[in-house]
Amino acid sequence: MTVPRNWRGRKAALIAASLAGLVVLLIIAALGVLIFGGQSEATEDAVHQLAVYRATVAMRPELEQQLTAARTRAAATPGLIVSDSPALAQAQVQDEVKAMVVANQGEVRTAQVVPVSTVNGFQLIAIQYDITLPMARLRDLAYAIETHTPYLFLDETDIQALQDWQSGDPQTTNPMLEVRWTVHAYRWSGGK
């Protein structure tokens, strides 16, 4: 029995199509394995990140306790201005500096408040003063300000003698000075 030639060609075409289909199926299977393999790796990373986040959340009460303790210690630091607001702190500094100037026979001519700035969780309170006082009292006033509690700091100092000092009058043994300086203090702002 002889097989028609037509059948042989069909059989070869059927085998070729089957092989091509098998190759396509193998390529699709390989791509599926790669895709799902990458997804399982991403899933493992996401599960690990979730565990890290849960551990961080579990630490929150302890960290809040530590933060509250640190804020309490910072607020109780000696040398800081204690007040409910920056404006009250500025008024407190003005009152205390004025009292020291008057105690040293001086006079506050002007006191200009400098805008509050924040440095490392502390508010910097600064006031620029124009003062007149006797030369002999300058050292005492500077010492009183620098040793004051809460701590006050002098900056940007400019000192000039009034014109009547140059008169050559022997009666002028304690000439008046014009002093311009900025007094700084720090206030805890609660870490804001």
Side-chain angles (χ1 to χ4, degrees):
M1 163 166 182
T2 60
V3 177
R5 203 171 175 195
N6 196 5
W7 281 97
R8 282 187 197 161
R10 286 184 185 169
K11 195 176 187 182
L14 186 58
I15 290 174
S18 296
L19 286 175
L22 184 61
V23 168
V24 168
L25 284 175
L26 287 176
I27 290 174
I28 290 173
L31 287 174
V33 167
L34 288 175
I35 290 172
F36 289 117
Q39 284 183 347
S40 69
E41 202 174 288
T43 303
E44 287 175 20
D45 287 344
V47 168
H48 176 70
Q49 262 187 329
L50 180 62
V52 169
Y53 292 149
R54 285 184 177 163
T56 303
V57 168
M59 290 175 23
R60 182 179 179 163
E62 180 185 341
L63 292 174
E64 284 179 344
Q65 235 177 4
Q66 290 175 1
L67 178 61
T68 302
R71 285 183 173 165
T72 302
R73 282 191 311 273
T77 302
L80 295 179
I81 297 284
V82 178
S83 68
D84 294 333
S85 71
L88 290 175
Q90 291 166 336
Q92 181 181 349
V93 170
Q94 283 181 332
D95 288 344
E96 292 178 15
V97 170
K98 183 177 181 181
M100 286 184 271
V101 169
V102 169
N104 283 286
Q105 302 170 357
E107 176 187 349
V108 175
R109 297 259 174 123
T110 64
Q112 182 178 358
V113 176
V114 178
V116 175
S117 60
T118 302
V119 179
N120 296 328
F122 294 95
Q123 290 179 334
L124 178 63
I125 307 299
I127 301 168
Q128 186 179 42
Y129 289 94
D130 286 327
I131 300 168
T132 58
L133 77 152
M135 181 188 290
R137 302 303 301 221
L138 178 63
R139 183 186 61 161
D140 295 335
L141 176 59
Y143 182 78
I145 290 174
E146 288 285 336
T147 59
H148 187 268
T149 302
Y151 302 142
L152 301 174
F153 304 93
L154 293 175
D155 194 13
E156 301 171 14
T157 303
D158 182 32
I159 303 171
Q160 295 179 2
L162 293 177
Q163 290 195 15
D164 65 347
W165 182 50
Q166 301 292 337
S167 66
D169 182 10
Q171 299 294 332
T172 315
T173 57
N174 196 11
M176 294 297 285
L177 298 177
E178 289 181 342
V179 178
R180 172 174 276 188
W181 58 29
T182 304
V183 176
H184 298 279
Y186 289 94
R187 176 184 174 269
W188 174 246
S189 62
K192 296 177 185 172

